[in-house]
Amino acid sequence: MTDAPRPPFEHPANALVLEIFRANGALIRLGDALVKPLGLTSARWQVLGAVAQGHGGLPVARIADNMGLTRQSVQRIVDELAEAELVGFAPNPAHKRAKLVVMTPRGQRLFQRASERWAPYADAIAAALDPRRLRSTTDNLATLRGFLDQTNDRSSE
Amino acid sequence: MTDAPRPPFEHPANALVLEIFRANGALIRLGDALVKPLGLTSARWQVLGAVAQGHGGLPVARIADNMGLTRQSVQRIVDELAEAELVGFAPNPAHKRAKLVVMTPRGQRLFQRASERWAPYADAIAAALDPRRLRSTTDNLATLRGFLDQTNDRSSE
DNA sequence: CGAGATTTGACAGCATCCTGTCGTTATGAC
DNA sequence: GTCATAACGACAGGATGCTGTCAAATCTCG
């Protein structure tokens, strides 16, 4: 049994990476199904959430940084959300072109409804992973992401 | 302090979900940069890895299941890999149309080179997260994914 | 105050993954 | 043995995210 070809799949880090990919996919699928009846998608819901967090309004580039995405990806979603009148643009006193993205009342109502739909699932996740595991998993992923971001930044220099 | 608008962002599960999204994005970016000099992308590398694991050859649908993706996504990548002669198709004794995807020698060599490039990063991850954390994080994500897959399957019935 | 660097938005093109639908092939119930 | 079901591949279309490039606005520093 020493002849089994053993590519570095045995490495513990690889198992983690594969689980992250699978969890990411499963979360997006769940999110899409969850907000589809509201006319939303996972991506739009996420951007809406990021806008909701920036109470005073944030430029697109800031939202992208918060989400770990590029400006272009977020810009496209924001434009679509603006088209649907779920978000609007407020003048930015600190930058003429970089207008602030703010929620419209309609956007707030829709986001509220999405949040209500999500709540039971969030609770179920918290039930499947007790508070200690939930927190340690989050912390460990944050540690991993810190390393990855650092590595990515370094290679782009 | 009871008036702060508090959408369910405070929920511990949400912090975990956001970290999974960010980690996923960072991993794909790192993977793309890592195998770009080899003429590969993250997705092709991943599919190549899945083919490498199925030593005897697997039909596309099986590979997709293993990766948590749809058949169509994997099929397109496999076709491109076949075009580049990195994988080939072997007849499937159990199914006339569902041919088995197998590595070509060239694919094996390329995957080997990608693995060698990845190894230092895998080690670095294992260094940033000690074995116990690495394993518990992987296990907890697997638990989460079990719940998510179950929920997704249920809603598609 | 002025030149270069940085940040931000706009536009174009591409890679990846999804859903929906159809025809072919295997499998299982009867 | 036959028919319904499931599994698999093929094809079309849409959604999301990325890179590359350029212009406008701001900031930094001498």
Side-chain angles (χ1 to χ4, degrees):
Chain A
M1 292 295 283
T2 60
D3 51 350
R6 191 150 51 87
F9 272 88
E10 316 289 332
H11 200 297
N14 291 22
L16 174 58
V17 169
L18 292 179
E19 275 309 326
I20 291 173
F21 288 153
R22 294 198 187 101
N24 179 74
L27 282 171
I28 289 178
R29 279 189 287 276
L30 175 59
D32 277 336
L34 192 67
V35 298
K36 185 174 187 178
L38 303 179
L40 284 175
T41 62
S42 273
R44 297 183 188 190
W45 178 27
Q46 281 179 252
V47 171
L48 217 48
V51 174
Q53 272 199 312
H55 303 83
L58 295 172
V60 166
R62 282 293 185 80
I63 297 174
D65 282 345
N66 291 347
M67 299 178 67
L69 301 180
T70 59
R71 292 169 294 128
Q72 293 87 333
S73 305
V74 174
Q75 183 73 55
R76 187 176 48 74
I77 304 285
V78 164
D79 288 342
E80 292 170 352
L81 292 177
E83 181 71 21
E85 295 187 0
L86 298 176
V87 303
F89 298 98
N92 184 349
H95 196 297
K96 196 173 291 181
R97 284 187 66 188
K99 284 173 283 190
L100 301 175
V101 183
V102 295
M103 298 278 277
T104 63
R106 187 175 165 191
Q108 287 181 349
R109 285 195 300 272
L110 196 60
F111 184 68
Q112 176 65 25
R113 289 180 61 195
S115 297
E116 290 164 2
R117 278 177 157 266
W118 167 248
Y121 292 92
D123 290 342
I125 290 173
L129 290 177
D130 63 85
R132 197 185 65 77
R133 291 175 202 267
L134 197 52
R135 175 165 185 90
S136 71
T137 305
T138 305
D139 289 347
N140 290 340
L141 285 180
T143 300
L144 171 63
R145 183 174 58 88
F147 164 75
L148 294 173
D149 284 347
Q150 178 186 343
T151 305
N152 280 323
D153 287 348
R154 192 168 303 160
S155 71
S156 66
E157 278 172 7
Chain B
M1 291 294 282
T2 61
D3 51 349
R6 191 150 50 88
F9 272 89
E10 315 289 332
H11 201 297
N14 292 21
L16 174 58
V17 169
L18 293 178
E19 276 308 325
I20 292 173
F21 288 153
R22 294 198 187 100
N24 179 74
L27 282 170
I28 289 177
R29 279 189 289 276
L30 175 59
D32 277 336
L34 191 67
V35 299
K36 186 174 186 177
L38 304 179
L40 285 175
T41 62
S42 273
R44 297 183 188 190
W45 178 27
Q46 282 179 252
V47 171
L48 218 46
V51 174
Q53 272 198 313
H55 304 85
L58 295 172
V60 166
R62 282 293 185 80
I63 297 174
D65 283 345
N66 291 346
M67 298 178 67
L69 301 179
T70 58
R71 291 169 292 131
Q72 292 86 336
S73 304
V74 175
Q75 183 73 55
R76 187 179 49 77
I77 305 285
V78 165
D79 288 344
E80 292 171 352
L81 292 177
E83 181 70 22
E85 295 186 359
L86 298 176
V87 303
F89 298 99
N92 185 349
H95 196 299
K96 195 171 292 182
R97 286 187 65 188
K99 283 173 284 190
L100 300 176
V101 183
V102 295
M103 298 279 275
T104 63
R106 187 175 165 190
Q108 286 180 349
R109 285 195 299 272
L110 195 60
F111 183 67
Q112 177 65 25
R113 289 180 62 195
S115 297
E116 288 164 2
R117 278 177 158 267
W118 168 247
Y121 292 93
D123 289 342
I125 290 174
L129 290 176
D130 63 85
R132 197 185 65 77
R133 290 174 202 267
L134 197 52
R135 175 164 185 91
S136 71
T137 305
T138 306
D139 289 347
N140 290 340
L141 285 180
T143 300
L144 171 64
R145 183 174 58 88
F147 165 73
L148 294 173
D149 284 347
Q150 179 185 342
T151 306
N152 280 324
D153 287 348
R154 192 167 303 161
S155 71
S156 66
E157 279 171 7

